[in-house]
Amino acid sequence: MAIPAGPDPAAAGQIILPSDLPASLQGGELVAVMVAGANAKASRVAPCLASTDPAPTAGQLAEAKLILIGAVKRWAEAGAGAFQQQTAGPYSVTTDTRQRSGFNLWPSEIDALQALCRTSSPSAFTVDTAPGCGTIHSPICSLMFGALYCSCGADLTGTGPLYELVDP
């Protein structure tokens, strides 16, 4: 069975369609609104999915589709579950297995969508502008006599004296 490449690329931002959902959810209340909202949220947090230049790859769309179908399924099932409370004397236990409502993507879903847009461009690097105090100065360096500057060049090399070399 072939995996469909995704929605029509001409419809930018359309990652999932109501027909992509399981049959049990397709006829549900507000499903079209949830699908439109999921597409809009995904396009906002991961703009590469709605881009036309360059267009998202089939792999990116397939992963995004899977994430969004899971979110819409969770939204459609919000409120399902049970609230149970048991009391025995002064003690009570409450168990709440209801799904939380709220039509937002979870942080893990946002991270996964944003990861689809990341490229392997060069990352930041650091330059040590204040080297540590591990340099060894010459015994006749000005610092050894209380000055606030180095006359042997050890602060330039970072390893040892450049000028005023003295054999011990």
Side-chain angles (χ1 to χ4, degrees):
M1 179 172 153
I3 298 174
D8 180 14
Q14 285 287 2
I15 300 165
I16 61 171
L17 301 170
S19 60
D20 294 328
L21 298 173
S24 61
L25 294 178
Q26 288 180 9
E29 189 177 338
L30 297 175
V31 169
V33 174
M34 289 184 220
V35 167
N39 284 327
K41 285 178 184 286
S43 298
R44 184 174 45 83
V45 300
C48 74
L49 298 173
S51 175
T52 55
D53 185 35
T57 64
Q60 286 174 318
L61 286 175
E63 284 188 63
K65 182 182 282 194
L66 185 64
I67 293 166
L68 293 182
I69 287 173
V72 170
K73 185 173 186 277
R74 184 181 71 249
W75 296 344
E77 294 172 350
F83 181 83
Q84 181 179 12
Q85 187 171 12
Q86 296 175 331
T87 305
Y91 304 103
S92 69
V93 175
T94 303
T95 306
D96 187 1
T97 60
R98 295 177 294 182
Q99 294 280 338
R100 301 287 182 251
S101 61
F103 302 103
N104 287 313
L105 296 172
W106 284 346
S108 60
E109 293 167 336
I110 292 172
D111 290 342
L113 288 169
Q114 289 174 341
L116 295 174
C117 292
R118 288 192 193 112
T119 60
S120 59
S121 61
S123 59
F125 59 92
T126 59
V127 175
D128 187 9
T129 58
C133 299
T135 56
I136 300 173
H137 292 270
S138 171
I140 57 171
C141 179
S142 297
L143 285 173
M144 298 298 175
F145 298 105
L148 298 176
Y149 60 92
C150 170
S151 63
C152 72
D155 59 348
L156 298 175
T157 64
T159 57
L162 181 62
Y163 317 110
E164 302 175 352
L165 297 175
V166 177
D167 291 330

